[in-house]
């Protein structure tokens, strides 16, 4: 099927080709789950296609798409938490769980990122892994620039605590 330039299907296909991998990478960094990230990016693209007129009219369609991915990740995390709570109601094994001793250990970046609350993790990932501006991060997450600054700062402080100051500085390439 041949489509004319300006055709919504052609525009969407080009958008998909340019941004799918980036959206999957964003989902992976936010979830730590490579397979789930691919599913989330695909779900985001389906949602974007269903709202393509709104997306293509947006000032920053990629920021809109990142926001869709962030919202899908947030929903998936909330769903997983709810499911864990339901399972815990029926099968409480807390007495069998033991805590690791509180000794210094090497923590990889993904584990450290997963330890952050969603908003801090999203701000750190978008600002430092995707090198977005504070404004673009705020647009993607639907929050204020001040919240981006605050959450990024707090997230980086938490990463420094988890990874050590030198490792966290290497993570962001010396950015502060």
């Amino acid at each position: 099927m041949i489509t004319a330039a300006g055709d919504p299907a052609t525009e969407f296909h080009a958008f998909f080709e340019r941004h799918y991998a980036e959206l999957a990478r964003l989902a992976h960094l936010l979830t730590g789950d490579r397979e789930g990230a691919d599913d989330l990016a695909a779900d985001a693209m389906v949602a974007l296609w269903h709202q393509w007129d709104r997306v293509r009219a947006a000032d920053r369609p990629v920021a809109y798409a990142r926001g869709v991915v962030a919202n899908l990740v947030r929903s998936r995390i909330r769903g997983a938490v709810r499911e864990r709570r339901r399972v815990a109601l029926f099968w409480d094994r807390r007495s069998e769980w033991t805590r690791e001793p509180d000794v210094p250990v090497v923590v990889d970046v993904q584990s450290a990122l997963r330890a952050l609350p969603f908003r801090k993790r999203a701000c750190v990932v978008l600002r430092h892994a995707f090198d977005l501006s504070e404004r673009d991060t705020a647009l993607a997450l639907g929050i204020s620039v001040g919240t981006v600054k605050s959450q990024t700062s707090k997230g980086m402080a938490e990463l420094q605590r988890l990874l050590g100051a030198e490792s966290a500085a290497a993570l962001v390439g010396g950015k502060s």
Side-chain angles (χ1 to χ4, degrees), residues 78-91:
R78 286 179 179 158
V81 168
R82 281 192 302 272
E83 183 62 25
R84 283 188 202 118
R85 287 180 184 153
R86 279 188 224 117
V87 168
L89 288 173
F90 296 104
W91 187 29

Side-chain angles (χ1 to χ4, degrees), residues 90-104:
F90 296 104
W91 187 29
D92 188 2
R93 297 180 51 152
R94 277 182 267 162
S95 61
E96 296 177 24
W97 293 351
T98 58
R99 296 235 181 246
E100 296 284 328
D102 190 14
V103 295

Side-chain angles (χ1 to χ4, degrees), residues 2 17 25 60 73 87 107 136 138:
I2 300 173
E17 291 294 323
R25 184 171 151 234
R60 297 174 183 253
V73 168
V87 168
V107 180
D136 287 343

Side-chain angles (χ1 to χ4, degrees), residues 7 9 28 54 64 77 80 97 102 110 141 151 155 158:
D7 175 54
H28 178 240
R54 181 182 295 170
Y64 187 100
I77 290 169
W97 293 351
D102 190 14
Q110 286 186 344
L141 297 176
Q151 293 296 293
E158 184 70 11

